[in-house]
Amino acid sequence: MGVWIQFLVCIVLIGVAGVQLTRYGDVIADKTGLGGTWIGLVLVATVTSLPELASGISSVTIADVPDIAVGNVLGACVLNLTILALLDALHRGETLYQRASPGHILPAGFVILLLGITGFGLLTAEVGQDWRLWHVGFYTPLILIGYFVAVRTVYRHEMAQVARFTEAEPDRYPGLSLRTAVLRYSLAAVVVIAAGIWLPFVGEGIARQMGWTESFVGTLFVALVTTVPELVVTLSALRIGAVDMAIGNLLGSSLFNLMILAVDDLFYVAGPLLGAASPAHAVTVFSVTMMTGVVIVSLFYRPRARLLKTMGWGSLVLLAIYALNSAVVYIHG
């Protein structure tokens, strides 16, 4: 019971702080004119993805379970995109993709690029190609470079909109200064980070009691636990109408999670991380690639119709891919 109580305490802390995180993140976006896409992609996504970073580093150092590290990162990417379907179901009126900025296509494209590098690394290791620099796989510098290029590219795209944005939009938060917003955002971030870092260890304790295997635990259970901050923050952003911040957070978290694979590889001194992981993780890589492709098509096509009066066809496809991926990982595990 003690482990479950700790789990609930973590959820409550993340829930309360997550609401504040999205509120003051929206204030920062309004004051700076950067927009919800950039704030969600970098500021919010980085904070909510730190549990995956902490869990991944501990998995490849203290626990020496590379399968859990890889499964956690890739499973979190699957869950992030599945949350988009939940947002679409909760969003009233027009579909979520009609309200979203087409600028999200840019980070989504970089997600597919990093997924391609990751899948290439998994499959080359499976056929015995051990390309490395000391103990680090060849894919690690490529992922790191790709991530920072993605962040810079999206930043430049957002900055191109700043002048037009600041001229056309009035200050929606006249009673709050930028300094106050940054301070309160930082305090909420500290709470989310602390609870999020604690959360994976509680989740792993529960998983051990259930007797599940490492690949299954990493991809489904630990990933579910470490994705709680993204879920809470994204739902809070949707509640205040910050749709772009919500979507930017989910896509940004997927980008950051893939960058975590490179960081984990640096800490895993036994050799290239993907070479020590199960090739079954390639199934999850392909699942995330397909799901990201569905998101790009939906953002570009911007479907109006809701199937079963609940969500768009793109969201139903996301749920179907998630269910299929979960079934394959469960059977393999």
Side-chain angles (χ1 to χ4, degrees):
M1 288 301 297
V3 177
W4 287 104
I5 291 174
Q6 293 178 51
F7 182 81
L8 291 176
V9 170
C10 286
I11 299 299
V12 170
L13 289 175
I14 291 172
V16 174
V19 172
Q20 301 303 313
L21 196 68
T22 51
R23 168 175 166 76
Y24 293 111
D26 192 46
V27 175
I28 294 172
D30 180 72
K31 299 289 185 182
T32 60
L34 282 173
T37 301
W38 167 256
I39 298 298
L41 180 72
V42 178
L43 289 185
V44 180
T46 300
V47 170
T48 56
S49 294
L50 287 178
E52 284 91 343
L53 178 61
S55 178
I57 292 176
S58 66
S59 295
V60 298
T61 54
I62 302 173
D64 192 23
V65 281
D67 259 335
I68 285 185
V70 176
N72 179 26
V73 167
L74 297 177
C77 291
V78 172
L79 284 168
N80 285 339
L81 297 175
T82 306
I83 292 174
L84 271 178
L86 174 62
L87 292 184
D88 193 23
L90 294 175
H91 190 260
R92 293 295 165 230
E94 57 189 356
T95 62
L96 183 72
Y97 305 106
Q98 286 180 276
R99 283 285 310 278
S101 167
H104 294 297
I105 294 175
L106 190 58
F110 277 106
V111 169
I112 290 181
L113 176 62
L114 298 191
L115 284 168
I117 296 172
T118 303
F120 192 82
L122 276 168
L123 294 180
T124 52
E126 175 63 12
V127 298
Q129 297 293 336
D130 187 18
W131 299 334
R132 65 168 78 185
L133 181 64
W134 293 289
H135 70 278
V136 177
F138 72 92
Y139 41 82
T140 289
L142 297 178
I143 291 175
L144 290 174
I145 292 171
Y147 173 76
F148 289 109
V149 169
V151 170
R152 175 170 173 77
T153 302
V154 175
Y155 173 77
R156 294 180 67 178
H157 174 77
E158 288 285 300
M159 286 300 294
Q161 312 299 321
V162 168
R164 180 164 56 87
F165 178 90
T166 52
E167 290 176 2
E169 296 288 337
D171 189 349
R172 294 186 291 119
Y173 300 97
L176 284 173
S177 66
L178 177 60
R179 180 178 179 180
T180 300
V182 170
L183 176 61
R184 294 180 182 178
Y185 177 91
S186 301
L187 292 175
V190 168
V191 176
V192 171
I193 292 170
I197 291 175
W198 181 20
L199 195 54
F201 296 99
V202 177
E204 287 174 330
I206 296 173
R208 282 196 299 270
Q209 292 182 13
M210 299 299 294
W212 291 330
T213 58
E214 290 180 3
S215 58
F216 176 69
V217 169
T219 303
L220 295 184
F221 190 79
V222 177
L224 176 63
V225 173
T226 55
T227 308
V228 168
E230 282 93 339
L231 176 61
V232 172
V233 168
T234 300
L235 291 177
S236 299
L238 183 66
R239 186 177 61 84
I240 65 175
V243 173
D244 282 330
M245 187 189 299
I247 298 176
N249 175 38
L250 295 174
L251 293 176
S253 293
S254 294
L255 266 177
F256 193 86
N257 288 341
L258 292 169
M259 190 270 288
I260 289 174
L261 272 180
V263 176
D264 291 344
D265 191 28
L266 293 173
F267 279 89
Y268 188 65
V269 296
L273 177 63
L274 296 183
S278 169
H281 291 299
V283 174
T284 308
V285 170
F286 295 139
S287 296
V288 181
T289 302
M290 289 187 291
M291 294 173 81
T292 308
V294 171
V295 172
I296 290 176
V297 172
S298 299
L299 287 169
F300 186 82
Y301 183 68
R302 305 171 82 82
R304 297 176 179 273
R306 287 184 180 271
L307 302 181
L308 304 177
K309 298 182 179 180
T310 304
M311 60 181 66
W313 62 266
S315 297
L316 289 176
V317 175
L318 291 179
L319 291 177
I321 296 175
Y322 171 74
L324 178 63
N325 181 78
S326 299
V328 172
V329 172
Y330 176 77
I331 292 171
H332 182 272

